Amino acid sequence: MARARRPKITAPTKETILNRKTEGERYWGGLHGAQDLDDQYFNLSRPTNAPKPYNEDIIYPPTGNSVVTTLADHVAGDAPQIKVPEANTGLRAQGRSERLERGYQGALARFRALSDVDPIRGIVTSFGWAGQVVSKGPIFDPSCWGLAPERDDYSSDDSYAEGMGEYEARKKTQWPFYWEICDPRTVFADPGTHGKKWVIVAFQRRVGEIAAQWPEWDKRIGGMSKNDPPMPDDAKVDWVESWDEHFRAYMVGGEFIDGPRSHRYAKPPFQIRAAGLGKESGEPEEVCRSMIFPVRNLLDAEIRTASQMSVMIRN
């Protein structure tokens, strides 16, 4: 009996990626709009309808921010302990569980020490203000180790052994993984599985940041000719990052800066979770409720109350 042929896996085209982005925007748009509103309360930037010059006297009490940061202080303040269940009651299973616990705990300590923002606190804060968390990784990045020494590059076995020793030492000291917490408003996952088939990350990114990662980029996008001057580092361009079950790709201004390349994660390396404060089913904006959602009217009333005296004095 002949074996069934595996379906041919083809890399996504630019059109496929942009169509996925459009589909994701339609599905997640309502939730991202709600998160934009909660972000205003969290960052004390809620716009008001006060006319000039009264809008200069608006006072923003820090309640919306304090609610979320207090949550983060309580939850992320203690060092989380990782527990690996034992497969059975045998000593061998117990030893395996203990080894895994120590390894995972050490890895978490490395991530927390090397990240610009503590990922644990970032998760809790995102749950509080956005009602959702999106984490990317852990992703293996071997570039921090450099290239392995090649025997042909050395004049003697001793010098090669010395170079290999330095390389092995670098592998033991340099942490080759990164893990980051994403702004959920920039992430668009497939509506069916919420990130198991494909994930698109799209936002406005600085030219200088992109050029730091891709030095060979000429800082020009589609529609610009070679005669046009490169864009300045502080300019912003449309950035799209695409992950599916087999390929990842990066786009700038609608064109590939790093075309589709195969990865072996078997799924996009994202974890997307709701805070558990909304409905169990429904539209995304109903499932992913933030802590700020039920007190929005109270926060608006607090702003008006705090600002009343200043407005009366000006009047």
Side-chain angles (χ1 to χ4, degrees):
M1 183 177 178
R3 291 184 178 181
R5 290 186 178 180
R6 290 185 178 182
K8 185 178 180 180
I9 300 173
T10 58
T13 63
K14 291 183 293 185
E15 290 72 20
T16 299
I17 292 173
L18 295 177
N19 287 338
R20 288 173 176 175
K21 176 177 176 288
T22 301
E23 182 182 355
E25 288 172 338
R26 288 197 301 265
Y27 182 75
W28 296 100
L31 173 60
H32 291 174
Q35 290 170 339
D36 281 334
L37 179 58
D38 287 332
D39 177 70
Q40 294 172 2
Y41 292 110
F42 178 61
N43 286 309
L44 311 182
S45 60
R46 177 82 172 127
T48 64
N49 295 323
K52 293 183 178 181
Y54 300 106
N55 58 352
E56 300 175 1
D57 299 315
I58 300 301
I59 297 173
Y60 294 94
T63 306
N65 183 277
S66 298
V67 168
V68 177
T69 54
T70 301
L71 168 70
D73 290 339
H74 281 283
V75 177
D78 297 330
Q81 298 298 312
I82 297 176
K83 180 65 177 176
V84 178
E86 299 173 4
N88 52 57
T89 57
L91 291 177
R92 190 171 181 178
Q94 181 180 355
R96 177 180 178 275
S97 175
E98 292 174 353
R99 289 192 300 273
L100 288 174
E101 286 178 2
R102 288 195 297 268
Y104 291 150
Q105 201 73 45
L108 179 59
R110 280 289 193 98
F111 280 123
R112 300 188 77 175
L114 298 176
S115 298
D116 294 334
V117 177
D118 181 5
I120 302 301
R121 189 177 182 87
I123 288 173
V124 178
T125 302
S126 185
F127 274 144
W129 76 264
Q132 182 188 39
V133 67
V134 179
S135 69
K136 176 186 175 183
I139 293 178
F140 177 62
D141 179 19
S143 62
C144 67
W145 290 345
L147 298 176
E150 297 287 342
R151 178 62 184 86
D152 295 340
D153 297 333
Y154 294 85
S155 59
S156 66
D157 291 340
D158 291 340
S159 59
Y160 171 68
E162 183 180 353
M164 182 60 73
E166 293 176 356
Y167 176 71
E168 292 297 333
R170 189 162 59 248
K171 288 174 65 177
K172 293 178 181 179
T173 56
Q174 298 288 341
W175 187 241
F177 300 94
Y178 72 89
W179 176 32
E180 62 182 357
I181 309 304
C182 304
D183 185 335
R185 295 171 296 175
T186 66
V187 178
F188 307 88
D190 69 281
T193 66
H194 291 184
K196 291 184 175 60
K197 289 186 177 180
W198 52 262
V199 173
I200 303 293
V201 181
F203 58 95
Q204 289 270 304
R205 193 175 181 189
R206 301 281 183 187
V207 169
E209 296 176 359
I210 301 172
Q213 287 186 268
W214 284 272
E216 67 278 7
W217 181 45
D218 62 1
K219 299 183 182 180
R220 296 180 178 87
I221 59 176
M224 297 179 64
S225 68
K226 294 296 183 180
N227 296 326
D228 293 326
M231 292 181 292
D233 286 348
D234 62 342
K236 288 186 176 181
V237 292
D238 290 331
W239 169 263
V240 175
E241 179 179 347
S242 170
W243 291 82
D244 61 23
E245 296 169 294
H246 306 285
F247 297 94
R248 68 104 180 102
Y250 302 99
M251 299 175 64
V252 175
E255 300 292 335
F256 285 127
I257 189 174
D258 192 343
R261 294 191 186 184
S262 177
H263 65 79
R264 298 185 179 182
Y265 293 112
K267 64 175 287 294
F270 291 82
Q271 295 76 43
I272 302 174
R273 298 287 185 275
L277 302 175
K279 296 179 179 179
E280 293 185 2
S281 62
E283 296 299 316
E285 61 269 25
E286 297 171 342
V287 176
C288 302
R289 296 292 197 199
S290 70
M291 291 186 67
I292 296 175
F293 169 77
V295 294
R296 288 175 182 169
N297 289 337
L298 293 176
L299 295 176
D300 284 334
E302 185 181 24
I303 293 172
R304 290 193 297 269
T305 302
S307 307
Q308 185 176 15
M309 181 60 69
S310 297
V311 171
M312 290 176 61
I313 291 174
R314 177 179 288 275
N315 193 42

